[in-house]
Amino acid sequence: MFFEKCGEGIVLRIRLTPNASARGVKGTFTDGDGKMFLRIQVVSVPEKGKANKELVSYLAKELRFPKSVFEIVGGELDRYKRIVISGRDDAEDRLRGWLTKEGIEL
């Protein structure tokens, strides 16, 4: 699974593709170590944090949470990111509902 519960909330593992033609979730990806990532594309370029900012905005919009509950805790300069959703008891339910709507199997 590409997300797991932790002390402060949920940690999402995301493989980000910047500079894409359209923004959206594109399925899952498993790396060589067997870790699963949610594949997301954004249209912003990967410079000066623009792609990261668009990613957080996209997640906030889709999950209907304020941007302040999202924190990039790993991979700020890499395409493989770890994002914590903190302070929301309903984060897992909203995440599952959104991905089911997008056709992503959990």
Side-chain angles (χ1 to χ4, degrees):
M1 188 60 62
F2 49 83
F3 67 91
E4 57 196 37
K5 292 182 181 181
C6 66
E8 56 267 1
I10 290 182
V11 177
L12 283 174
R13 285 190 304 272
I14 294 175
R15 183 178 189 272
L16 183 65
T17 303
N19 206 23
S21 60
R23 179 171 70 174
V25 61
K26 300 299 178 187
T28 59
F29 170 81
T30 305
D31 70 2
D33 295 333
K35 288 185 182 176
M36 185 180 282
F37 293 82
L38 183 63
R39 289 178 44 224
I40 296 180
Q41 295 178 338
V42 295
V43 297
S44 296
V45 294
E47 60 184 40
K48 298 181 182 176
K50 291 178 184 176
N52 289 341
K53 188 174 181 180
E54 183 181 351
L55 172 63
V56 169
S57 294
Y58 175 66
L59 291 172
K61 177 184 173 216
E62 292 298 325
L63 296 173
R64 298 180 319 273
F65 287 145
K67 293 178 202 173
S68 61
V69 303
F70 298 93
E71 180 184 359
I72 298 175
V73 294
E76 193 166 322
L77 300 176
D78 192 4
R79 72 175 51 236
Y80 297 98
K81 304 196 180 295
R82 290 179 51 240
I83 297 180
V84 172
I85 304 171
S86 59
R88 299 300 304 224
D89 295 333
D90 58 344
E92 185 174 352
D93 291 336
R94 287 197 191 186
L95 182 63
R96 287 181 182 277
W98 169 53
L99 295 174
T100 299
K101 181 184 80 170
E102 293 292 327
I104 306 297
E105 291 186 30
L106 301 175

